[in-house]
Amino acid sequence: MFARFTPEARRTTVRAGLLALDHGRTTLDEDMLLLALAESWPAAGFGVTPEAVRTEIGEREAARGLAGDRELLAAIGVDLDEIRRRLPSRRDDPLAWRLSRSRLRPLNVVLSGPAGDLPLTARARKVVEVAVSTGGHPGVTGEDLLKGLLADGSNASVSILHRLGVDLRGLAASIGFLHRSA
């Protein structure tokens, strides 16, 4: 699937996977895609900083009773920074990662690379599928990933953007993607 992604969109998707792993997650969800977009595409004009998105994600996790990975690992004597130092040096190299769909289970999409395998949640898969379907020449871009995030008004990313005061209709219109349920 990555063959249709521009280098920018591929880097953003890999970054989202690494952020998910850094948060101690076993799947890639759409909120990590939003955070990666906020980090890698600051001029996108959707008016949120990575710090604001991180805060919202942290509050959502706290509301669900989830502690941060660093705190949980430290409680059992595991140093997250030491683990990262021991990982392969190509951990964040987008060319070392692939995004693939299972032939036997076509709804299963997995981001695989040197740091491990991350199945995409149904909502993250929808983001990627919308991005692929809207991506034209030269391929899937960061803007297409943003369209994928906006395609489902009930996903966590739309909720985060709304809480951060983003004009969702204006954002959708500015990227040529009208979103009915915003």
Side-chain angles (χ1 to χ4, degrees):
M1 292 178 83
F2 264 162
R4 298 189 56 196
F5 281 55
T6 62
E8 164 215 359
R10 187 179 184 126
R11 271 190 307 278
T12 299
T13 306
V14 168
R15 178 67 181 144
L18 293 172
L19 288 166
L21 290 170
D22 290 349
H23 276 82
R25 297 185 181 184
T26 57
T27 59
L28 175 56
D29 213 337
E30 78 278 8
D31 59 347
M32 291 294 125
L33 286 164
L34 174 63
L35 179 54
L37 268 173
E39 284 183 358
S40 66
W41 201 35
F46 58 96
V48 296
T49 64
E51 295 75 27
V53 175
R54 274 190 197 87
T55 299
E56 286 293 324
I57 290 171
E59 289 175 8
R60 287 176 57 83
E61 289 175 345
R64 293 191 330 232
L66 302 175
D69 63 326
R70 186 173 298 277
E71 294 83 16
L72 290 173
L73 291 170
I76 60 172
V78 176
D79 181 359
L80 187 59
D81 292 327
E82 181 62 25
I83 291 171
R84 287 188 185 130
R85 279 191 291 278
R86 292 179 184 215
L87 285 173
S89 61
R90 294 187 63 203
R91 176 180 191 254
D92 59 352
D93 178 4
L95 296 176
W97 289 79
R98 70 183 196 289
L99 189 62
S100 58
R101 180 183 305 277
S102 169
R103 290 177 197 235
L104 298 176
R105 300 174 122 182
L107 295 180
N108 290 353
V109 177
V110 178
L111 178 65
S112 303
D117 295 337
L118 274 172
L120 275 65
T121 63
R123 291 186 175 180
R125 187 192 75 227
K126 182 176 182 177
V127 169
V128 169
E129 288 174 346
V130 169
V132 168
S133 72
T134 60
H137 180 74
V140 175
T141 64
E143 189 173 281
D144 296 321
L145 289 171
L146 183 56
K147 289 175 184 177
L149 289 172
L150 295 174
D152 182 0
S154 67
N155 77 31
S157 295
V158 170
S159 175
I160 289 169
L161 290 171
H162 179 69
R163 279 195 310 278
L164 291 174
V166 173
D167 173 15
L168 297 172
R169 288 189 188 276
L171 176 60
S174 73
I175 61 172
F177 189 72
L178 296 178
H179 181 57
R180 295 177 224 234
S181 61

